[in-house]
Amino acid sequence: MHLPAIASSRRLHGFTALELLAVLCLFLVLAALLGAALPQAFAESRKTRCISHQRTLYLATLAYSADHQGRYPLRTTEPVDPGRNWHRTIWPYLDPSGTYSNWGGALSLKLYRCPANPSKASAISYAMNDNLIDKLVSHHSGGRVILLIDHSGSHLASGYKAGLDQRLAGWHRKKNILTFGDGHVSLLARPAIPDRATDPAFWGVAPQ
């Protein structure tokens, strides 16, 4: 009398070879879709974090200027720094316990390094526009003047063509993230970034 119920249970819980094959095919399709989407998702995540890093550095630069007669970080500091390390100068504004001499902790390695930079040896992958150093923020805070850029192999960007060709690596799908004097961000390929001879106003310098 219970045999039909057992047979029914087997029909409900058993899988045929065809059903297993269909499930396997579904998993393969999902895996293929995820495999195509994951690299794009990771790239988007790195871009978002890079923008966040530059935003933090931008705000620290403004905080520095508020304490120093409205100027961008100095070319030299106390003690005198021949390397003109703007990133060390703004460090106290990133870490309340930080000083010029003790910068370089774990936080700085995260904030100063673009997540998309493939080099493990480079601790800093952002450059400040060298032409703005020690200049009045009020004179160069317009939306067309570049302030920060993700930049390979150097801590400063002067806007000369040779340096841009060499240092702008296009880590974000062949594009670079730029932060301008008014705080807005752009994602530009190298050909879309003018050098200072082509567009001096972009770099905050007078026409030659």
Side-chain angles (χ1 to χ4, degrees), residues 29-51:
V29 170
L30 290 174
L33 292 174
L34 286 174
L38 281 177
Q40 182 175 351
F42 286 141
E44 190 66 23
S45 173
R46 289 190 291 267
K47 182 183 78 174
T48 300
R49 282 184 288 153
C50 180
I51 292 173

Side-chain angles (χ1 to χ4, degrees), residues 6-20 23:
I6 294 174
S8 175
S9 177
R10 287 176 179 171
R11 283 196 298 273
L12 287 173
H13 298 289
F15 292 95
T16 66
L18 185 60
E19 289 170 335
L20 288 172
V23 171

Side-chain angles (χ1 to χ4, degrees), residues 128-169:
M128 181 179 174
N129 179 1
D130 189 25
N131 305 296
L132 300 189
I133 290 180
D134 201 25
K135 298 294 186 358
L136 287 170
V137 171
S138 59
H139 292 176
H140 299 85
S141 59
R144 289 205 68 249
V145 181
I146 180 178
L147 176 62
L148 298 169
I149 190 169
D150 46 11
H151 194 262
S152 173
S154 177
H155 303 164
L156 294 165
S158 296
Y160 292 106
K161 183 179 184 303
L164 296 178
D165 291 342
Q166 181 182 6
R167 304 300 185 186
L168 300 191

